[in-house]
Amino acid sequence: MFRKVMVANRGEIAVRILRALKEVGIPTLTIYSEADRNSLHVRMAEEAYCIGPPPAEESYLQIKKIISLAKDKGVDGIHPGYGFLAENPVFAQACQEAGINFIGPPAYAIEAMGSKTRSREMMQDAGVPVVPGTTKPVRDEAEIFRLASDLGYPIVLKAVAGGGGKGMRVIKRAAEIKSAFRATQSEAQSAFGDSAIYVEKYLENPRHIEVQILGDKFGNLIHLGERECTIQRRHQKVIEESPSVLVDEEMRRQMGETAIRAARAVGYFSAGTVEFLVDKHKNFYFLEMNTRLQVEHPVTEMVTGIDLVKEMLKVAAGHNLTYRQEDIKFRGAAIECRVYAEDPLNNFFPCPGKILSLRTPGGPGVRDDTGVYPGFEIPIYYDPLISKVITWGRDREEAIHRMARALQEYVINGVKTIIPFLQGVMEDKHFLQGDITTEYIDQKLHRGSLVDAGYFKEVAVLAAALDAYRTEISRGTNSFPKINGLKMVDNPWKMTGRRMLLDSRL
Ligand code: MV4
């Protein structure tokens, strides 16, 4: 299939791709920055080369260096992972021109989907429903004013070159147009080097549901169902699941067919994701297409049993897709929690540092995709995502209970993580009922009920254990207290690790 494949990425996704390559017996090569000498992906690849200083612009984004290294080392395929060069049409094109297979979609599809107005126009022409609004950039305030009168407030200004929430501003009334227009323009200019902006009707409290698609170079396209990604914080996804509680079989078929139509319109192959906003009447609208393997792809792998990375490799090498639509069976439910090295008690502030100890969860239905190991120092230069915990269950409830259990098993010392926050969500009645919106996290944080469940309870448990220990020492007898009939016969410090037991007994 391939002589040797380069993984042009780092962290958990580089590890994920290296695993697939090993399973199919393809020799592996990876790149790393000076900050990543000790990274797990470097240790896992058969060959690894340093390509520059820590900042991504000087290493992981160095197109020329990466391609010339690939040519030197006899690489005939490059998997870009996500982020970095994954959605850079210049890189995809440069690979093809160097005679190296870019393991992803064609450059023209990346390019077409990179422009929000162009993609909206193409989708409209293909009969894919898009959020009402313009397919051309807006020129001035008067034009926005006229559009708002047609569409009705609220409207949203978005960067043509944007995506993922950067460079967007909601306008609730005419008086806000002037300042919003200027602010969005300059934000778009500084974030994307392109000041062009356009207008959409703003949908309030939408759900964010995306459809995974897979295609080969012969025009075969299938969909692998949806992922619900509504639980986000500042446009950063935190929890994803499949299936969505909102989507029934008929809606899945419709969204799937629409996603395939969207992909076909841009001549797509490889793995890709079509994002939809869904309103309260369950109308769905094309939002954007992610022309890459996504962070949350394991959720789909767990419910379909399909290895998306292996399919990407096959398709890139010019093989047919392994599956037809009728082969795709959805089984059970899966959830992914992203474990970020951030402090949930300090506004999710990034907390890089050295991992002193680590024990990742296991057991039935649990998958942990991580790029770290004990002793590894998380660099400050990149995304603070250190691990993804994915659980599968026969239904949503079992997947959630497994997630709660897996998060309890997770031991990580040396860096703060959002695990206590995630535990709070798994116990939250709104989440358990599937009652979630894009404001869910901020609302929960505001009520203060999420982080308490983890951190503060643990502090209370530690204090209680210490008190029990002191009592024991001062009495000089083996008189550990009984808690609800359970005698604490063991070292109380050890009990602190047993969150489940203590939570239910204290
Ligand atoms: C919207 C929207 C409402 N109406 N567009 C945020 C990320 C970016 N990809 C698009 N986003 C949104 N676009 C219209 N016309 C609401 C959001 C949005 C959002 C979408 C999905 C998940 C979380 C979100 C949080 C805030 C805003």
Side-chain angles (χ1 to χ4, degrees):
M1 194 153 62
F2 284 101
R3 208 164 52 237
K4 191 192 286 182
V5 165
M6 173 196 277
V7 178
N9 212 302
R10 64 176 304 283
E12 67 83 21
I13 196 63
V15 170
R16 164 72 187 92
I17 297 159
L18 288 166
R19 283 175 169 153
L21 290 164
K22 280 164 196 264
E23 285 178 28
V24 295
I26 298 172
T28 56
L29 181 152
T30 196
I31 55 173
Y32 62 95
S33 75
E34 285 163 18
D36 269 333
R37 273 182 203 289
N38 296 318
S39 281
L40 192 56
H41 75 288
V42 175
R43 298 187 177 193
M44 280 179 69
E46 286 152 82
E47 289 173 69
Y49 301 94
C50 184
I51 41 140
E57 307 78 60
E58 297 173 53
S59 49
Y60 295 106
L61 293 173
Q62 286 282 330
I63 294 178
K64 285 210 179 88
K65 267 194 206 169
I66 290 168
I67 287 180
S68 108
L69 176 75
K71 284 205 284 198
D72 274 3
K73 304 296 175 186
V75 163
D76 57 352
I78 300 182
H79 198 305
Y82 55 70
F84 298 128
L85 297 170
E87 290 177 279
N88 185 325
V90 174
F91 180 66
Q93 189 61 37
C95 287
Q96 288 336 125
E97 279 162 17
I100 299 166
N101 221 317
F102 176 79
I103 302 167
Y108 52 81
I110 302 176
E111 171 120 55
M113 288 301 182
S115 159
K116 300 306 147 197
T117 41
R118 181 140 168 254
S119 65
R120 279 167 60 78
E121 189 164 30
M122 291 175 87
M123 292 305 111
Q124 251 178 5
D125 292 349
V128 172
V130 301
V131 185
T134 60
T135 54
K136 291 272 178 291
V138 285
R139 284 176 302 262
D140 52 41
E141 292 148 30
E143 195 179 346
I144 299 173
F145 186 80
R146 281 194 302 277
L147 284 161
S149 313
D150 288 348
L151 294 166
Y153 291 93
I155 57 165
V156 56
L157 298 185
K158 294 186 176 187
V160 168
K166 248 198 235 149
M168 94 176 219
R169 207 169 246 87
V170 181
I171 298 179
K172 294 203 173 71
R173 60 191 93 82
E176 296 169 3
I177 291 178
K178 195 169 170 167
S179 66
F181 178 55
R182 295 209 183 128
T184 314
Q185 263 189 331
S186 71
E187 206 174 297
Q189 180 63 42
S190 61
F192 311 109
D194 178 358
S195 67
I197 57 175
Y198 72 102
V199 172
E200 281 178 13
K201 168 83 188 154
Y202 184 69
L203 306 179
E204 289 181 275
N205 274 322
R207 305 271 283 227
H208 182 277
I209 299 178
E210 57 187 32
V211 176
Q212 177 70 54
I213 64 108
L214 207 47
D216 62 24
K217 294 179 178 175
F218 309 100
N220 300 305
L221 280 159
I222 59 172
H223 77 84
L224 302 184
E226 79 283 3
R227 292 184 292 259
E228 162 90 57
C229 304
T230 303
I231 300 197
Q232 312 197 353
R233 212 189 94 84
R234 312 254 157 94
H235 305 303
Q236 185 187 60
K237 292 172 186 168
V238 179
I239 298 168
E240 304 98 343
E241 56 181 306
S242 184
S244 162
V245 292
L246 212 73
V247 177
D248 58 21
E249 214 172 299
E250 175 56 19
M251 187 172 171
R252 178 168 306 115
R253 198 185 55 74
Q254 284 182 20
M255 290 184 89
E257 281 178 10
T258 307
I260 287 172
R261 201 178 313 140
R264 200 177 297 289
V266 289
Y268 204 88
F269 54 77
S270 192
T273 300
V274 182
E275 290 188 6
F276 295 101
L277 284 183
V278 184
D279 70 16
K280 57 179 179 292
H281 310 294
K282 295 198 186 184
N283 298 312
F284 57 87
Y285 305 91
F286 171 86
L287 188 60
E288 50 196 66
M289 183 169 186
N290 300 315
T291 56
R292 61 169 189 270
L293 180 70
Q294 284 192 277
V295 178
E296 61 271 31
H297 76 276
V299 164
T300 298
E301 295 186 322
M302 300 284 264
V303 293
T304 61
I306 292 169
D307 186 318
L308 284 166
V309 180
K310 281 186 197 160
E311 286 304 304
M312 289 179 85
L313 294 170
K314 274 185 86 166
V315 165
H319 295 265
N320 283 293
L321 277 182
T322 314
Y323 310 92
R324 292 159 303 173
Q325 191 64 53
E326 57 267 33
D327 300 326
I328 309 303
K329 296 278 179 286
F330 302 102
R331 193 166 157 261
I335 300 190
E336 172 179 281
C337 281
R338 298 192 187 186
V339 178
Y340 287 102
E342 294 172 346
D343 183 0
L345 285 181
N346 184 18
N347 205 24
F348 289 75
F349 201 75
C351 262
K354 190 169 177 157
I355 311 247
L356 300 177
S357 61
L358 179 71
R359 196 190 71 204
T360 53
V366 178
R367 167 173 170 181
D368 177 70
D369 277 22
T370 183
V372 305
Y373 59 88
F376 176 68
E377 184 157 0
I378 301 166
I380 58 165
Y381 300 95
Y382 317 106
D383 193 74
L385 178 71
I386 52 178
S387 171
K388 305 184 304 204
V389 183
I390 307 103
T391 59
W392 180 88
R394 287 163 298 177
D395 52 25
R396 185 173 188 263
E397 195 181 359
E398 188 176 48
I400 292 173
H401 289 161
R402 277 199 171 138
M403 182 60 77
R405 187 267 293 171
L407 293 172
Q408 272 163 18
E409 284 183 22
Y410 215 115
V411 176
I412 181 160
N413 286 302
V415 294
K416 287 179 178 142
T417 73
I418 67 165
I419 288 174
F421 165 81
L422 295 167
Q423 286 176 315
V425 176
M426 292 305 126
E427 293 167 6
D428 180 61
K429 66 174 193 292
H430 294 283
F431 176 73
L432 291 169
Q433 286 162 7
D435 169 21
I436 45 174
T437 69
T438 49
E439 272 81 57
Y440 173 81
I441 288 184
D442 283 328
Q443 283 170 3
K444 292 312 283 180
L445 284 176
H446 200 68
R447 281 180 234 162
S449 54
L450 282 182
V451 176
D452 299 14
Y455 269 131
F456 297 144
K457 227 183 246 177
E458 213 153 309
V459 171
V461 166
L462 284 166
L466 183 59
D467 185 62
Y469 186 67
R470 280 200 181 133
T471 306
E472 160 67 4
I473 297 291
S474 68
R475 285 184 194 162
T477 60
N478 182 15
S479 58
F480 281 105
K482 274 188 178 176
I483 298 169
N484 282 1
L486 177 85
K487 196 176 177 199
M488 292 178 67
V489 291
D490 213 334
N491 179 345
W493 287 105
K494 202 170 157 192
M495 299 294 282
T496 62
R498 300 182 185 173
R499 210 176 150 252
M500 217 169 186
L501 178 69
L502 285 163
D503 277 0
S504 56
R505 306 284 164 134
L506 277 177

